[in-house]
């Protein structure tokens, strides 16, 4: 039995449009794909030793980090800053009660190179407040997102 409900308010032309899907392959393991044609393994196994991929919550955290990291790379390039490396790390703390939303996420930006600290601070601010839609969505849901950064020699 197949049922489908369409709640579309906007047309594809009015908004950025994308499609994604997941296919169940057993236990709590799914194969995900999107318009890009790339596939990922998503696994929500309780036993971490049996887990074959990232959980949906881990993917959300990783998506936020890759979103803000790509912003930082693009912004610092436009500023012509001599960045030679970037790693972005996060620790997330979730509510124990369902739906177990993130309550706090601490992000650490580690930049390598002779980058001006003021340029890095501006790039982080632009990413967190204007460009990284995943960080912004999490903040709007009530998540306290805190950031720190440091610059290391390459």
């Amino acid at each position: 039995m197949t049922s489908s409900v369409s709640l579309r308010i906007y047309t594809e032309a009015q908004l950025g449009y994308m499609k994604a899907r997941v296919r169940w392959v057993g236990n709590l393991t799914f194969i995900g794909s999107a318009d890009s044609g790339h596939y990922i393994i998503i696994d929500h196994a309780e036993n971490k030793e049996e887990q074959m991929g990232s959980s949906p919550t881990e993917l959300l955290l990783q998506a936020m980090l890759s979103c803000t990291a790509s912003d930082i790379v693009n912004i610092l390039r436009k500023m012509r800053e001599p960045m030679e490396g970037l790693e972005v790390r996060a620790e997330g703390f979730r509510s124990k009660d369902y739906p177990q939303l993130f309550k706090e996420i601490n992000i650490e930006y580690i930049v390598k190179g002779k980058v001006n600290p003021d340029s890095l601070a501006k790039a982080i601010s632009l990413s967190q407040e204007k460009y990284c839609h995943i960080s912004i969505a999490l903040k709007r849901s009530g998540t306290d997102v805190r950031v720190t950064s440091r610059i290391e020699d390459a």
Side-chain angles (χ1 to χ4, degrees):
M1 178 175 169
T2 302
S3 66
S4 177
V5 177
S6 178
L7 300 175
R8 187 176 294 163
I9 297 171
Y10 299 99
T11 67
E12 294 172 18
Q14 290 173 305
L15 298 173
Y17 177 75
M18 85 177 45
K19 295 188 300 187
R21 73 178 198 189
V22 296
R23 185 173 44 86
W24 177 54
V25 293
N27 296 325
L28 290 175
T29 306
F30 301 85
I31 302 294
S33 64
D35 290 339
S36 65
H38 299 286
Y39 293 85
I40 60 169
I41 298 172
I42 306 158
D43 200 331
H44 209 284
E46 290 184 26
N47 182 346
K48 298 296 180 196
E49 284 121 28
E50 295 176 11
Q51 196 170 359
M52 298 173 59
S54 294
S55 73
T57 308
E58 290 170 330
L59 287 172
L60 178 60
L61 204 55
Q62 292 170 8
M64 181 188 67
L65 293 179
S66 61
C67 178
T68 189
S70 64
D71 291 341
I72 299 304
V73 169
N74 284 326
I75 293 166
L76 290 178
R77 280 181 178 166
K78 287 179 183 174
M79 293 178 167
R80 300 192 190 288
E81 288 290 342
M83 184 180 69
E84 297 180 32
L86 173 65
E87 183 174 338
V88 186
R89 301 175 182 170
E91 293 180 330
F93 301 91
R94 296 169 54 200
S95 169
K96 292 191 185 287
D97 299 323
Y98 284 95
Q100 296 182 317
L101 299 174
F102 278 111
K103 291 305 198 183
E104 179 182 315
I105 297 173
N106 299 316
I107 302 173
E108 180 183 27
Y109 297 86
I110 305 163
V111 176
K112 294 190 186 285
K114 299 207 180 295
V115 174
N116 181 320
D118 292 335
S119 295
L120 176 58
K122 181 170 181 155
I124 291 170
S125 177
L126 284 168
S127 176
Q128 288 297 313
E129 303 304 324
K130 184 176 182 180
Y131 295 119
C132 182
H133 55 281
I134 299 170
S135 287
I136 292 166
L138 283 165
K139 289 176 190 177
R140 287 181 181 172
S141 76
T143 303
D144 183 17
V145 178
R146 302 173 185 195
V147 300
T148 60
S149 64
R150 68 178 193 258
I151 299 170
E152 298 177 347
D153 291 332

